[in-house]
Amino acid sequence: MWIERARELYERAIYAGDDTVPATADRELDAVEAELSLARGRILHLRFLTGQEADPRELPLFERATRLFRELGDRRGEGESSFWEGCYHQLVNGDLDTALPLFERAAELAAQAGDQATLAEVLRHQGIAAHRTGRLDEAREKLTESSRLRREFGLPAGVASNQVGLIRIAAAQGRHDEARALADEARALADSCGATRIAAHVEEARATIPT
C-alpha cells in the first residue's frame, strides 16, 4: 500500500542515508495523487449524470490528474484524464469547441499506450458529438468502432449503450429493419449483464423506430 511504501522510503532516508529518497517519494506519491484525482473526478461526474448539480471541483481534479500524469510521462494516464476533461466540457458545459481537441489528444495518447478502453470511450463521445450536430454517418462510424472495441474487451453493457445511439441513427436514416435488429440485440445484451438503466434507454430508442 502506498502509505506503507512512503514510510519505508522515509525510514530508508533517515536510517540508511539514502539521498535519492525525496525524488523517488515525490514521483511515487504524484502517481498516487494522479490516480486519486482521476477517481474523485469520475465520482463527481457520476453524480452529475445521475441528476445532481455539477460540482465545481470536478474539472480541477481532472486537470490536476492530467498535469501529474504528463509530468510522470504516463501516457495511458494522461490519455484517460484528458478524455474526462473532454467529457466535462462536452456534457457539463456543452462546450464542444473545448471538448473535441481534448478527445483528439486522448485518442492519440490511448492509441500510443494501447489503452483500448479509453479509446472506446473517446470514440463513443466523438460519436455522440457528431450525432447531436447532425453528422449521422460520422456518428455511426464512431459508435460502431467503439462497440467493436468494447466487444473485444468484454463490456456488453457498453456495447448496448452504444447501440442506443445506433438505433436512433438507423431510424433517422430510414434503415428501420436494422434499427429493430439493433434494438433486439441491445436489449439482450443489457439483460444479460443486469444493465437495467441501459435496457430502459434501449426501449426509449426502440420507440423512435417507425412502425
Side-chain angles (χ1 to χ4, degrees):
M1 186 175 177
W2 68 265
I3 196 165
E4 294 170 352
R5 171 63 174 165
R7 183 178 295 111
E8 172 193 326
L9 287 170
Y10 175 82
E11 291 174 353
R12 184 195 302 174
I14 290 297
Y15 299 129
D18 187 343
D19 293 334
T20 68
V21 161
T24 300
D26 281 345
R27 183 175 179 82
E28 293 187 16
L29 289 172
D30 281 350
V32 171
E33 184 180 348
E35 294 288 359
L36 181 58
S37 295
L38 182 57
R40 286 193 182 281
R42 280 198 304 262
I43 296 303
L44 292 178
H45 192 73
L46 172 62
R47 289 178 174 146
F48 169 76
L49 293 177
T50 54
Q52 296 186 28
E53 290 292 324
D55 192 308
R57 295 174 296 170
E58 182 184 334
L59 182 59
L61 283 165
F62 291 142
E63 291 173 335
R64 175 65 173 162
T66 298
R67 191 159 53 249
L68 287 169
F69 282 128
R70 185 181 300 123
E71 290 169 358
L72 290 164
D74 184 339
R75 293 187 175 187
R76 183 213 59 78
E78 184 185 348
E80 186 178 3
S81 56
S82 294
F83 160 72
W84 282 103
E85 283 188 64
C87 270
Y88 180 91
H89 289 292
Q90 180 186 35
L91 300 181
V92 179
N93 286 346
D95 179 3
L96 285 181
D97 289 340
T98 302
L100 291 177
L102 286 164
F103 289 152
E104 290 292 339
R105 176 63 175 159
E108 176 186 351
L109 290 165
Q112 292 172 3
D115 183 359
Q116 300 289 74
T118 294
L119 186 55
E121 291 289 338
V122 172
L123 287 163
R124 169 177 167 77
H125 281 262
Q126 289 174 324
I128 290 170
H131 189 185
R132 290 181 178 173
T133 53
R135 293 172 286 122
L136 299 187
D137 288 339
E138 180 184 343
R140 181 186 184 193
E141 177 185 344
K142 297 288 189 184
L143 289 171
T144 298
E145 178 61 10
S146 175
S147 294
R148 183 187 70 77
L149 293 174
R150 285 178 163 185
R151 287 183 197 276
E152 283 188 358
F153 58 76
L155 187 61
V159 176
S161 181
N162 282 346
Q163 286 178 322
V164 170
L166 290 169
I167 293 162
R168 292 181 182 276
I169 292 167
Q173 292 183 323
R175 294 178 284 106
H176 301 155
D177 288 344
E178 180 181 339
R180 281 187 281 272
L182 283 165
D184 289 343
E185 182 188 12
R187 180 57 192 263
L189 285 169
D191 288 346
S192 73
C193 58
T196 54
R197 187 186 297 272
I198 300 302
H201 291 166
V202 170
E203 295 310 315
E204 290 170 4
R206 191 196 298 274
T208 70
I209 306 169
T211 57

